[in-house]
Amino acid sequence: DGKALRNEFIRFFAQRRQQRVILGILRESGEIMRSYLLAQLILAVIAGVVVGTLLGVFHIKYALILSLIAGVTRVIPVIGPLLGFIPLAALVSVQTAQTGNYGVLAVILVVFTIMHLVESKVITPMILVHRLHLHPVVVIVVLLLCGEFFGLLGMCLAAPVTALVRTILVHLYVYAKRPPRHGNI
């Protein structure tokens, strides 16, 4: 019923030019949400593969489950990697205490910390900037502001909502100021 709902929504706007603007906003909004979800999936897969590979190299038990947890919790901005790290650190600590090989624990802690820093400071901004067409500084500022005012949910929704607001403003103020092309009224 997507087309029927869209058509009913557009009928609220009497002028043809307004209907085109709304269609453009709806089209771009759908693309933004698709892109954001794909970006989150890419980041989750990267986190899961890196953690799974790291744990597999050191023959840590339950590497697959821990890598799935790391991938799923990665979707939560800022604290997600920490949430994924807690069960990983606990299990690795128990296993290294049993074997006495604390070097493995140190290596895993260092690699996991480096992975989190590279992911949060390099990969995440690059993917979100590319997918949502937002400047990295805008993404960081919006994450901080939404986290402060709206908490965890605000941080999760900060980037796509900002991209949606940008799209609406561009359509209503930038594109609306352009003179109409001949034959397209």
Side-chain angles (χ1 to χ4, degrees):
D1 291 336
K3 287 184 180 184
L5 287 173
R6 182 195 69 196
N7 292 337
E8 288 297 320
F9 179 73
I10 290 176
R11 286 190 189 132
F12 287 118
F13 301 97
Q15 294 180 0
R16 189 137 176 97
R17 180 161 170 81
Q18 290 173 335
Q19 289 177 358
R20 275 189 293 211
V21 169
I22 297 302
L23 275 175
I25 291 171
L26 290 174
R27 193 175 314 111
E28 284 189 40
S29 297
E31 181 59 35
I32 287 169
M33 293 312 293
R34 258 191 310 278
S35 294
Y36 180 72
L37 292 174
L38 183 60
Q40 291 300 332
L41 179 65
I42 290 168
L43 292 169
V45 167
I46 289 171
V49 167
V50 169
V51 169
T53 303
L54 176 66
L55 296 178
V57 165
F58 290 108
H59 307 292
I60 302 296
K61 291 180 183 177
Y62 312 111
L64 180 61
I65 292 170
L66 291 171
S67 64
L68 287 173
I69 291 171
V72 170
T73 57
R74 196 265 144 249
V75 175
I76 303 168
V78 181
I79 65 164
L82 179 63
L83 292 175
F85 180 69
I86 292 170
L88 180 137
L91 185 65
V92 171
S93 296
V94 168
Q95 283 187 13
T96 55
Q98 290 173 350
T99 63
N101 189 359
Y102 293 101
V104 171
L105 178 61
V107 169
I108 289 176
L109 291 174
V110 168
V111 172
F112 196 86
T113 303
I114 291 170
M115 179 195 78
H116 172 63
L117 289 173
V118 168
E119 177 190 353
S120 65
K121 305 299 182 220
V122 179
I123 297 171
T124 299
M126 281 180 11
I127 290 177
L128 288 179
V129 165
H130 175 71
R131 293 277 175 195
L132 299 180
H133 307 292
L134 292 173
H135 194 276
V137 173
V138 172
V139 172
I140 292 169
V141 168
V142 168
L143 277 172
L144 291 173
L145 288 173
C146 288
E148 183 66 30
F149 290 113
F150 304 110
L152 188 59
L153 182 61
M155 291 174 72
C156 289
L157 298 175
V161 168
T162 302
L164 291 172
V165 168
R166 180 192 55 81
T167 298
I168 291 168
L169 292 175
V170 165
H171 275 277
L172 294 179
Y173 295 106
V174 176
Y175 294 161
K177 301 293 183 206
R178 292 182 182 166
R181 289 181 263 160
H182 298 293
N184 289 342
I185 298 180

